[in-house]
Amino acid sequence: MALDPETFDALIDTVRRFVTERLRPLEGAVEEADAIPADVVQEMRELGLFGLSIAEEYGGLGLTMLEEAKVAIELGRTTPAFRSTFGTNVGIGSQGLVMAGNDAQKAAWLPKIASGEIITSFALTEPDVGSDSGAVKTRAVFDGQSYRLSGTKRYITNADKADLFTVMARTGDDPGARGVSAFLVPRDLAGVSIGEPEKKMGQKGAKVADVNFDDVVVPAENRLGAEGEGFKIAMRVLDRGRLHISAVCVGVAERLIADCVAYATERKQFGKPIAEHQLIQAMIADSKTESLVARALVLETAAAKDAGKDVVMESAAAKYYASEMVGRVADRAVQIFGGAGYIADYGIERLYRDVRLFRIYEGTSQIQQIIIARETIKRGG
Ligand SMILES: Cc1cc2nc3c(=O)[nH]c(=O)nc-3n(C[C@H](O)[C@H](O)[C@H](O)COP(=O)(O)OP(=O)(O)OC[C@H]3O[C@@H](n4cnc5c(N)ncnc54)[C@H](O)[C@@H]3O)c2cc1C
């Protein structure tokens, strides 16, 4: 159920101030240190950010998708790594449990996820399995009492600090998606080990690493849903995650546009602010128009999801459009800033690198195109 408008406005106002006054001044330091300061993480816990999407009965804020999208837009106005700190708890790391968990599983884990006491990660991708995610090779063999889990998961966000993984593993002989089941795997089970964080292009402060499972004994009660339902669960989780990521893309685009306007009105060439040159105005107009289109698509799709509509196609379209849009906006921002756009002090080149990821994870742009076309053809237009 939606929050009452006053409470929601107060939440938006608090998040906006936290982003502007607390997080934005730290962007450069986070990039340098490749880490989010512990006191900031604690403040995120106190603000309830780890539990945005988790029901109030488990200690979360229980936001609707539309409310979550609006908060995600605000969070997008700073280095995306800040959002990643709690992003897996809000999204892909918790939603399998929210959607398919039984009461005992939810009661055991959701309160700690919502409070940020523990971190969760989503482990689908493998060294040989990316876009074709129904082909997972990690195996979970039932021995009559427990599952014995073996395999490697790759590029797992927040793996370095995760206490709980939602792991997609093959339980059946079926080589396709129908043979995949989902499991809740605590980090402290014997045989779970985490690789070194990868060096990556952007989003410094957010870590990804391999997660290795070496004959890990996973209790049967840790399976999420029935055997063979794991792929379906993963796809539902990603459908929802795509809307959240699209909203973050809108936020980053709006931030970049504001930075461009501030710079272009200040910077003078040929005797006037560059904002008065029509070729600069054209770039601002294109960025503004595209970000407005993405905002409308994301919010309309989020509202439709809250109304119980099938939004598989629309979520994929939102992710596809918004992630490509913010790439174009970031590229124009570098251009509007000129040389300064390429120099680290201004932060534009950092956001340019940061936003590149949005076209890759939670389904690449090509995978979104495939989903959009498949669903459109299925619907007959
Ligand atoms: C920073 C980061 C964080 C991540 N976090 C997580 C996480 O928390 N959990 C998790 O499970 N995964 C995570 N991932 C993995 C991510 O979801 C995958 O990288 C992504 O799905 C693409 O898979 P891949 O890298 O194997 O590329 P591939 O699937 O090998 O794709 C390579 C290229 O081929 C294209 N391609 C593939 N199939 C087709 C097709 N049928 N038609 C046309 N083109 C195609 C792709 O679009 C891409 O351009 C993360 C990745 C990164 C980089």
Side-chain angles (χ1 to χ4, degrees), residues 68-92:
E68 185 183 322
K70 288 179 178 172
V71 173
I73 290 175
E74 296 300 327
L75 293 164
R77 294 179 205 269
T78 184
T79 293
F82 285 119
R83 183 214 60 93
S84 231
T85 307
F86 50 86
T88 49
N89 278 38
V90 170
I92 55 176

Side-chain angles (χ1 to χ4, degrees), residues 29-52:
V30 164
E31 176 80 2
E32 282 295 312
D34 196 4
I36 310 290
D39 53 342
V40 171
V41 178
Q42 182 53 29
E43 287 166 47
M44 290 170 172
R45 288 193 190 101
E46 286 160 14
L47 286 172
L49 296 178
F50 285 84
L52 291 176

Side-chain angles (χ1 to χ4, degrees), residues 16-27:
R16 191 173 291 159
R17 273 192 288 115
F18 183 59
V19 166
T20 313
E21 293 165 19
R22 186 72 175 114
L23 302 184
R24 284 186 59 158
L26 294 173
E27 289 176 354

Side-chain angles (χ1 to χ4, degrees), residues 83 157 203 245 319 357-364 368:
R83 183 214 60 93
T157 301
Q203 302 214 7
I245 296 296
K319 164 74 161 53
L357 179 58
F358 296 132
R359 290 151 68 184
I360 296 171
Y361 72 178
E362 300 205 18
T364 64
Q368 309 309 329

